[in-house]
Amino acid sequence: MINEKMEKAFNDQINKELYSEYLYLSMKAYFERLNLKGFVNWMNVQIQEEHAHGMGMFDYLHQRGGKVVLEAIDKPKSDWTSPLNCFEEILAHEEFVTSRINALLDVAEETKDRAATIFLNWYLKEQVEEEDSVGNVLASLKLIGDDKKALLMLDKDLAARVFNPPVIG
């Protein structure tokens, strides 16, 4: 049976993962309005990844005999000033998620829940990859500046991204 404090921390993080899915869905709508289909594809992959992350924790909590308690998901913003601004916010959001995974690991260490520590190490590694992926797109957007042709070339590159269901844990 999972520790009560650990259970609450997992429930809080499940909510944050589902919020991330919701946020990326809002960003997808933004890129749809801009008719940037490659960016839309990039967001589709993010939406699927965040859903998988949340469900991974959902299933883990049940596996450990915990109770999943779903809370309301906050309303995400729906407008950005540019693709660059949007990806700056994505990076800040992913850094926030990383800090929350680290906080979960702190609870696992405090409660001496070694199983949770092992499980969460996958998420920490995933966050390093997430921040790197976003950072690469952000660096390209900074180089592009106001060059619309370069933006369309990046859009074409982002259309090639595919979702690979993660093996969590």
Side-chain angles (χ1 to χ4, degrees):
M1 187 69 145
I2 196 163
N3 174 287
E4 187 176 312
K5 185 173 184 176
M6 191 82 249
E7 177 182 272
K8 181 181 180 341
F10 266 106
N11 275 305
D12 289 345
Q13 189 60 33
I14 290 168
N15 180 271
K16 286 173 180 51
E17 297 294 337
L18 296 178
Y19 171 79
S20 294
E21 179 182 1
Y22 206 39
L23 175 64
Y24 290 130
L25 185 60
S26 184
M27 291 173 170
K28 173 187 174 179
Y30 165 74
F31 285 112
E32 286 279 7
R33 290 192 305 273
L34 295 180
N35 199 34
L36 292 171
K37 300 303 183 189
F39 283 86
V40 168
N41 178 66
W42 196 94
M43 291 301 159
N44 274 332
V45 172
Q46 280 304 112
I47 290 163
Q48 293 174 80
E49 284 188 3
E50 298 306 333
H51 182 78
H53 297 166
M55 292 309 298
M57 289 185 182
F58 182 100
D59 294 342
Y60 177 79
L61 195 49
H62 278 286
Q63 184 180 22
R64 294 285 311 279
K67 177 183 176 185
V68 172
V69 179
L70 299 175
E71 300 290 338
I73 299 173
D74 291 338
K75 178 183 176 181
K77 71 185 282 187
S78 58
D79 287 303
W80 291 268
T81 58
S82 67
L84 174 64
N85 171 246
C86 187
F87 270 82
E88 288 170 338
E89 290 194 21
I90 292 170
L91 182 58
H93 179 73
E94 289 298 337
E95 289 170 344
F96 169 73
V97 172
T98 299
S99 76
R100 300 313 310 150
I101 298 296
N102 280 321
L104 257 175
L105 277 161
D106 290 344
V107 174
E109 290 171 9
E110 175 189 326
T111 60
K112 298 186 185 331
D113 189 335
R114 288 170 183 82
T117 299
I118 292 166
F119 177 76
L120 290 167
N121 281 332
W122 181 91
Y123 280 87
L124 194 56
K125 181 178 177 281
E126 175 70 9
Q127 281 308 119
V128 169
E129 292 172 9
E130 293 277 340
E131 288 182 24
D132 181 55
S133 174
V134 174
N136 289 334
V137 176
L138 188 55
S140 294
L141 286 167
K142 287 178 180 178
L143 283 172
I144 286 170
D146 293 328
D147 185 341
K148 301 290 187 210
K149 289 180 184 175
L151 180 64
L152 291 175
M153 288 175 63
L154 176 60
D155 186 61
K156 185 176 179 180
D157 289 346
L158 296 180
R161 186 177 189 216
V162 296
F163 175 66
N164 295 309
V167 178
I168 298 174

